[in-house]
Amino acid sequence: MDRYNFKTVEEKWQEKWLESGVFRSKVDHSKKKFYCLEMFPYPSGKIHMGHVRNYTIGDVLSRYKSLQGFNVMHPMGWDAFGMPAENAARENDLDPKEWTNKNISTMKEQLKKLGLSIDWDREISTCSEDYYKHQQLFFLELYQKGLVYRKENYVNWDPVDQTVLANEQVIDGKGWRSGAIVERKKLNQWFFNISKFSQELLDGLDDLKQWPNKVKVMQKNWIGKSFGCEITFKTEGNLPVKEIKCFTTRPDTLFGFSFLALSVDHEISKYFSDDEDFKEFKKECSKTGTTEEAIAIGEKIGFKTNLKAVNPLNPSQKVPVFFANFVLMDYGFGAVFGCPAHDQRDFDFAKKYGLDIKTVVKPEGEEDTFEVKDEAYSGPGILINSEFLNKLKAPDESIIKTIDILEERKLGNKKINFRLKDWGVSRQRYWGCPIPMAYDENGNVIPIPKKDLPVKLPENVDLNSKGNPLDAKTEWKNITINGKKYVRETDTLDTFVCSSWYYLRFCSSKNAEYGYKQEEIDYWMPVDQYIGGVEHAILHLLYSRFFTKALGYKNSNFKFREPFEGLFTQGMVCHETYKDQNNLWLSPEEIELVGNTFHKKGDPNNKVKVGPSESMSKSKKNVIDPENIIQSYGADAVRLFILSDSPPEKDVQWSDQGMIASYKFLQKLWMLHNRIKEKIKIQNNGIEGNESLEKFTNQMINKITNNLEGFNYNVIIANIYETYNFINKIIEKDLDSKTLKDNYKKILTLFSPAIPHFSAECLEDLNFEEKIEWPIIDKDLLEDDKIDYVIQINGKKRAILKESRDMDQDSLMRKIKLNKLSEKYLKDKPINKIIFVKNRLINLLINE
RNA sequence: GGGCGAGUGGCGGAAUUGGUAGACGCGUUGGUCUUAGGAACCAAUAGUGCAAGCUGUGAAGGUUCGAGUCCUUUCUCGCCUACCA
């Protein structure tokens, strides 16, 4: 008997699938569609285990849905713009496009070896003109709808590299590449008006029933809706400032007002631009702002101005105005009214600067003389010391009442404030989608005419030039439109823009006229199941939701409101970390086990320190290369292992032993397959095991179907093992050929989403040529006619009786009386109460 | 500081949602076969006890005939987020 040769089998089926085009999808209104999408990869060079896990999960689902008769679309593409290409190209002196395309072809081959059911005809790459020209058109459309605008905004500026850095590229206040101290610089940038949809994006979350709650909560917090009031404070002092606006959620504590605090970037700061002390203070603020620790400790510092702010509800009260480090310019109005008694931050600040702390809310049940002492009180209660507001219930009643009064007296307005800010999409980078805009000599903006799209990225640019390489490319930059001279916008779009609409492009990946074809998105959208890492919980998913809403804005053809109906966030793949005696990271291949300690390979004196299991990363060298693993064990074995060890939403530990076990299991399964094959050939008409085989198969259909529906993919693998164990036993028995054949076919079908090559090979080996469909559960067979009844006495399990299904209480009692257990536990003691759960258990309550 | 989630054998994890706790796998132990085993197969494997049994799902209470599952309090860990007015 041959061993299972995964190499030939997997290659054979991968070729077959590709040639026959089984995974090709097209609109077919006679069938229900299922759009399965995994987050497309960045072509960094090679696939990693995270990809293997992500795409295996999606593949199991796609194959399962196909077998169920759905018209499945399962596409794949490349998130191909971005900085790594630009950096790699600079380091190796080559073209980012070349580098990217080479990576794409490598990774595509690797993905194919996993045996994924992907419709490669729909492949897209965001860095190709075919893709980004449509993105430019969308940009212009959004511009026309008023959803795109330009404004000055602060950015992280690297003065050495002359470029803008993303927040995550600023490490301890320094540029990640140059090491230069990052400056805050105001730059003109393009923005998408995502905040216009704040409320819609928030409300939409309620409809996303198949999203993890965790992600919805994160988005909700990110959008950050708060209800409150804007209050205009009159000011007095030696500056030409008459009033300052604040946003507050607690206007009801206005009688506890004791100072007003401004952000150092507040417009009033312009009057202090020559003040040396203020400059010093501002520097101090930016220092504390950078480290997370400083924020956690949260030392509050302030700079006192000569201004006084007037309490609008009590004009005789005038309080000092400070600049303070804890006030953010981009939230509310960059100004806060301080009420130390009921806000911990304000409390800390007041303590430090010796400001009044006046209690205006007491907890229910306290005396009116209640006073805040060691910390602010922000809980519910009753208003005190607040004149006409006294006795109101805080917070709900008091806030509404106060806002009413402020509005009536024209001192303030009810206001809903969102934390969500508009999306700055300009990047001073080469390797991205050019923004299709231009400027005349006066700096006036015009969109590039649609007929001139796409604005192509120029080739042969000098990536080593300071700043944006596009800026240096004068022959590209200077253009003429309708005989008039213009200069192109040289910024490119944030790569998140590319991934905000790629799910639409997959529906019509070849459509040349427009980003999508209406009838195709009408059929395929929304994505039924989206699968990816939780690290995209906010940005990518929020931007995609925004893009859908923006395209649907003033466009009645756009029928769906949300791009992703279902979302599944898979966990990471982890591995132990290793360090040698010099504290250098070692990869798993660089170590070996001698006795029971690890040493560096070939260096028995260099003991290895085993660190905690962490997400695989190149920097910690705790990576396992999927290519090697597939090479040694085959795709099905890898799939089996990656699914088996943990629920897909949780992190999984890579284990060599587990991997080997999966490999060995397939070998065992192949042996079993051959025994089954022999048995079927013999054409016997046994009866012994038929019934139990049918029952088992039917129960397995039920279990595996339910586990697929619930994403319990690790349990499916356990079910496959169970099935092996069962058949391995029953195969000894006398079975009828036809029964064995029919049931085995069903079982192989159940296996095929997880181990597709193996299952296909076995099915073919037995000439199961008819169309393979997901087996149907026989409800009658599901119910065993013998039940294990749990017999409890006073709630304790005392026995299990195998009796017939649907037995009533009295009959079961009679059986119990006949049992020796009755003698032992019951004797003649009176039974006080009987709890009987049909087909499950009986609990007898007696006096002990 | 705020939010979310999780604590079950030596390990990863199951448990039809309130009804036999520990499925399945790894590891370990014993055995069979073998020149050999880091192969294959068989068996055992929560703790304790010779056994009947008793005890067991982070801890303490509670509801219930019955709690890993529900409620209250508490501890620990993980993730996200952060001076959001």
Side-chain angles (χ1 to χ4, degrees), chain A residues 418-466:
Chain A
F418 289 96
R419 204 188 86 114
L420 182 65
K421 281 168 280 179
D422 280 343
W423 174 16
V425 293
S426 297
R427 296 290 180 273
Q428 292 68 35
R429 292 282 171 188
Y430 166 68
W431 194 233
C433 171
I435 296 175
M437 290 290 185
Y439 306 92
D440 69 12
E441 52 200 2
N442 300 319
N444 297 315
V445 181
I446 70 150
I448 301 289
K450 287 181 185 175
K451 65 174 172 54
D452 294 338
L453 295 184
V455 176
K456 295 184 192 176
L457 264 186
E459 295 186 359
N460 304 318
V461 298
D462 176 14
L463 292 173
N464 288 309
S465 63
K466 288 252 183 282

Side-chain angles (χ1 to χ4, degrees), chain A residues 4-5 49 112 143 210 316 335 340 345 381 387 439 448 458 479 549 566 645 722 823 838:
Chain A
Y4 175 62
N5 187 335
M49 277 301 170
K112 280 183 173 170
Y143 181 70
Q210 298 175 61
S316 63
R345 233 179 11 195
E387 300 184 13
Y439 306 92
I448 301 289
I479 50 166
K549 291 185 193 304
D645 258 23
E722 266 179 82
E823 163 109 9
K838 202 179 164 191

Side-chain angles (χ1 to χ4, degrees), chain A residues 349-360:
Chain A
F349 191 78
K351 276 275 180 204
K352 172 147 184 165
Y353 292 97
L355 304 166
D356 291 344
I357 299 174
K358 183 176 161 196
T359 305
V360 290

Side-chain angles (χ1 to χ4, degrees), chain A residues 68-84:
Chain A
Q68 276 194 323
F70 283 89
N71 185 20
V72 172
M73 172 160 76
H74 186 206
M76 183 59 70
W78 310 95
D79 190 11
F81 270 138
M83 288 189 310

Side-chain angles (χ1 to χ4, degrees), chain A residues 15 56-57 66 114 268 344 347 502 523 600 628 630 651 659 699 716 755 841:
Chain A
E15 222 163 276
T56 300
I57 293 168
S66 284
L114 269 175
I268 287 174
Q344 191 57 42
F347 184 87
Y502 78 114
Y523 179 74
K600 193 171 173 181
N628 294 340
I630 295 170
D651 288 354
M659 181 61 246
Q699 269 163 13
I716 288 172
I755 42 174
L841 62 74

Side-chain angles (χ1 to χ4, degrees), chain A residues 762-774:
Chain A
C762 293
L763 284 163
E764 191 194 55
D765 193 40
L766 290 167
N767 301 312
F768 292 142
E769 274 147 11
E770 326 88 280
K771 196 166 171 265
I772 308 296
E773 283 174 349
W774 196 251

